[in-house]
């Protein structure tokens, strides 16, 4: 295709000159009227003509030239790229001649100033392939930043896109939301299907959230053994039809889409309907081989919420949060505090606090403690600094700082547990071990914590309740089959119970009596550390790598190796499903509620695919 330049502009000027409306004196009509026909005046008081586009026949009711420019550049789908570039070139020339910049008034051109060089991108129209590629990139920008689709129709967005590449006309919201989104979703679904053929131990997690109409929407998330995830589907169920049997039916549909034989585990949170539905599914013939468990990370979250939600602790954290927020709200206060900290040799900065994340709460409180002396020094130099009375009293109260320090001590191991449990490389055994370490720490801290006794009692009561939910045979078996933690698991549980659980699980996965007998013999050898299970395993070696290495050198222990690799492949939490529910909540709000559930599921599925498989 020829590049647009002087010849095209000249041809357009020559061929369309005769179509210019003639007037009797006054300023000549704008060049844009070459592409419109004047209709009857819309409003005699404002003297505005209506204008009909010569390309698409659309009628612009308010015939101001600004509206006509916008129509040709951003609305009309029939006007050629040459026409659009010609209009833009005329606007650029007019802006330069008048000395306009943004909304500034007309200015005289400075002496010796030369016209701006034509944009390189404007010299060549983009082809259909480039247009599609740019539309895809625009779609990804919207999805990865949780922006609404109609943002592409904003004049500011259109102006920004044009300033980057003048010949690019962004696809409208309807096209992005339907055609482009569907094409990209199908590509991600094809990649998921191709990988599905190579997997045998998928971890499925189910969660729900309430839509803007206050109806529950259930979502199915699939996690591979390496931690990457994909949203398989979402479905809205009215409360009246949201019984455990109904939800179990939806879950079975999703599992059948995957192939039940490929699914290794099914996890949910402790919401009553979901728990009942999960139990119904795994008790149905054809699905009995699937291991079901309650998400341990969700249980930990509830335990932490109970700890931080107790009245004295919550009051302390809220005051600390208000103190940090007050400094962050004022650039002058932040600068003064930073200067005091630098003068005192303090290298940290005061961090903001997100009360919904335990890691953020802990980091913010830790930075607050380290900035204690700088905060006091700054407030002494600036006594009129606006601060609420409650926060001002906290600053000068010694017990406030000591109790904040005690809360940090409690939150430090909890933060480590959350971070370790959410790791993509963590196994179910790793999560159980984190819980055991946390329990031991809390027991040691029970007598030495400088917090009110009722707060300590409340924290430990709720923690013990949540920990009891994880004291299951499945969790103990996972700990036992991890060679790094075997010596920890044996004292915690009856070896006979562990062997029975392993045999039952192996049998449910479709193995016969003879194979189960061989498994029992191999488990006895593993229990006492007899060959070939006497190979060393360090904490730096993953349990799955240890078993796979054993499998490559010893083929006589196939049954135990099969079971152990399966246990190591279980994704130990439903955090990905919880995260998907949060993302859906970001997209679907009272202000942004136009997306139906299917489109919303496609958006979130594409987002999770891009997060794990497309380089940033």
């Amino acid at each position: 295709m020829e590049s647009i330049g002087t010849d095209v502009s000249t041809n357009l000027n020559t061929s369309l000159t005769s179509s210019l409306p003639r007037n009797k004196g006054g300023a000549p009509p704008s060049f844009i009227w070459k592409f419109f026909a004047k209709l009857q005046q819309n409003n005699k008081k404002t003297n505005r003509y209506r204008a009909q586009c010569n390309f698409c026949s659309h009628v612009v009711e308010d015939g101001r030239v600004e509206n006509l420019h916008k129509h040709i550049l951003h609305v009309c789908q029939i006007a050629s790229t040459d026409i659009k570039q010609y209009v833009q070139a005329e606007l650029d020339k007019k802006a330069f001649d008048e000395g306009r910049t943004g909304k500034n008034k007309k200015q005289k051109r400075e002496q010796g100033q030369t016209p701006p060089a034509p944009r390189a991108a404007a010299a060549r129209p983009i082809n259909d392939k480039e247009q599609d590629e740019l539309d895809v990139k625009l779609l990804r920008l919207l999805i990865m930043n949780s922006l609404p689709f109609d943002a592409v129709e904003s004049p500011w967005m259109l102006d920004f896109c044009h300033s980057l590449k003048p010949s690019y006309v962004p696809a409208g919201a309807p096209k992005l939301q339907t055609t482009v989104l569907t094409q990209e979703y199908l590509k991600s679904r094809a990649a998921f299907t191709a990988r599905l053929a190579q997997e045998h131990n998928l971890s499925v997690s189910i969660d729900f959230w309430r839509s803007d109409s206050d109806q529950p929407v259930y979502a199915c998330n699939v996690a591979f053994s390496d931690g990457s995830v994909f949203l398989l589907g979402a479905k809205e169920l009215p409360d009246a039809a949201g019984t455990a049997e109904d939800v179990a039916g939806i879950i079975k549909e999703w599992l059948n889409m995957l192939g039940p034989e490929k699914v290794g585990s099914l996890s949910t949170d402790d919401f009553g309907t979901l728990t009942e539905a999960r139990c119904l599914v795994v008790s149905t013939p054809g699905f009995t081989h699937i291991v079901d468990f309650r998400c341990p990370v969700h249980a930990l979250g509830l335990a932490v919420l109970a700890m931080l939600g107790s009245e004295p602790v919550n009051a302390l954290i809220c005051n600390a949060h208000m103190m940090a927020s007050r400094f962050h709200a004022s650039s002058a206060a932040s600068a003064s505090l930073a200067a005091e900290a630098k003068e005192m040799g303090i290298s940290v900065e005061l961090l903001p606090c997100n009360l919904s994340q335990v890691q953020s709460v802990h980091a913010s409180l830790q930075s607050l403690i380290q900035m204690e002396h700088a905060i006091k020094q700054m407030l002494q130099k600036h006594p009129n600094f606006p601060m609420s009375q409650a926060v001002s009293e906290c600053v000068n109260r010694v017990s406030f700082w000591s109790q904040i320090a005690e809360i940090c001590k409690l939150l430090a191991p909890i933060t480590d547990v959350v971070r370790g449990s959410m790791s993509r490389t963590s196994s179910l055994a790793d999560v159980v071990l984190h819980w055991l370490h946390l329990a031991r720490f809390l027991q040691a801290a029970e007598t030495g914590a400088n917090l009110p006794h009722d707060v300590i009692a409340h924290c430990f009561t709720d923690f013990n309740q949540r920990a009891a939910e994880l004291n299951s045979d499945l969790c103990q078996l996972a700990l036992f089959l991890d060679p790094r933690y075997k010596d920890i698991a044996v004292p915690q549980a009856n070896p006979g119970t562990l062997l029975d659980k392993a045999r039952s699980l192996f049998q449910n996965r479709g193995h016969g009596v003879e194979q189960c007998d061989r498994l029992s013999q191999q488990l006895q050898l593993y229990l006492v550390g007899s060959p070939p299970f006497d190979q060393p395993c360090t904490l730096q070696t993953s349990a799955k790598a240890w078993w796979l290495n054993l499998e490559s050198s010893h083929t006589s222990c196939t049954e135990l190796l099969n079971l152990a690799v399966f246990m190591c492949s279980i994704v130990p939490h439903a955090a990905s499903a919880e995260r998907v529910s949060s993302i859906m909540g970001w997209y679907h709000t009272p202000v942004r509620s136009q997306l139906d559930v299917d489109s919303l599921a496609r958006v979130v599925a594409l987002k999770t695919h891009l997060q794990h498989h497309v380089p940033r």
Side-chain angles (χ1 to χ4, degrees), residues 506 509 511 551 557-567:
F506 198 64
R509 291 183 61 78
H511 298 283
E551 183 180 27
C557 305
T558 307
E559 289 76 17
L560 180 54
L561 293 172
N562 185 306
L563 178 63
V565 171
F566 162 70
M567 292 296 294

Side-chain angles (χ1 to χ4, degrees), residues 473-548:
D473 294 340
L474 178 67
C475 293
Q476 295 297 338
L477 179 61
L479 202 64
F480 172 67
L481 290 179
D482 192 315
R484 301 168 297 175
Y485 313 139
K486 182 179 69 172
D487 294 337
I488 300 174
V490 173
Q492 297 283 335
N494 185 345
T497 303
L498 292 175
L499 299 181
D500 291 342
K501 177 63 179 178
R503 184 184 179 96
S504 173
L505 182 61
F506 198 64
Q507 188 172 2
N508 287 340
R509 291 183 61 78
H511 298 283
V513 176
E514 184 178 346
Q515 292 174 306
C516 290
D517 290 339
R518 288 201 297 269
L519 173 68
S520 298
Q521 295 172 3
Q522 295 163 17
L523 282 168
Q524 291 289 349
L525 295 175
Y526 173 72
L527 177 63
V528 297
S530 297
F533 305 110
D534 56 347
Q535 303 295 324
C537 182
T538 63
L539 292 176
Q540 289 72 32
T541 305
S542 72
K544 187 174 183 179
W546 187 85
W547 284 105
L548 290 175

Side-chain angles (χ1 to χ4, degrees), residues 4 8-9 11-21 29-38 50-60 65 68-73 76 78-91:
I4 183 168
V8 176
S9 300
N11 293 337
L12 284 170
N13 277 320
T14 303
S15 61
L16 295 173
T17 299
S18 59
S19 64
L20 275 172
S30 171
F31 74 94
I32 195 66
W33 282 103
K34 301 174 185 178
F35 310 112
F36 291 88
K38 277 187 179 181
R50 295 188 303 155
Q52 186 176 31
C53 178
N54 294 338
F55 302 106
C56 65
S57 300
H58 174 77
V59 175
V60 181
V65 292
L68 305 186
H69 296 155
K70 290 179 182 178
H71 175 80
I72 292 294
L73 291 174
C76 185
I78 300 179
S80 67
T81 304
D82 288 349
I83 295 294
K84 293 178 185 288
Q85 291 182 356
Y86 167 74
V87 171
Q88 186 59 51
E90 288 294 319
L91 291 177

Side-chain angles (χ1 to χ4, degrees), residues 10 45 54 74 107 129 163 166 176 264 275 329 358 394 402 418 461 519 541 588:
T10 304
K45 188 175 293 186
N54 294 338
H74 306 307
Q107 300 173 348
K129 181 181 179 181
S163 65
L176 283 176
T275 301
V358 63
C394 289
S402 61
V418 172
T461 299
L519 173 68
T541 305
H588 211 274

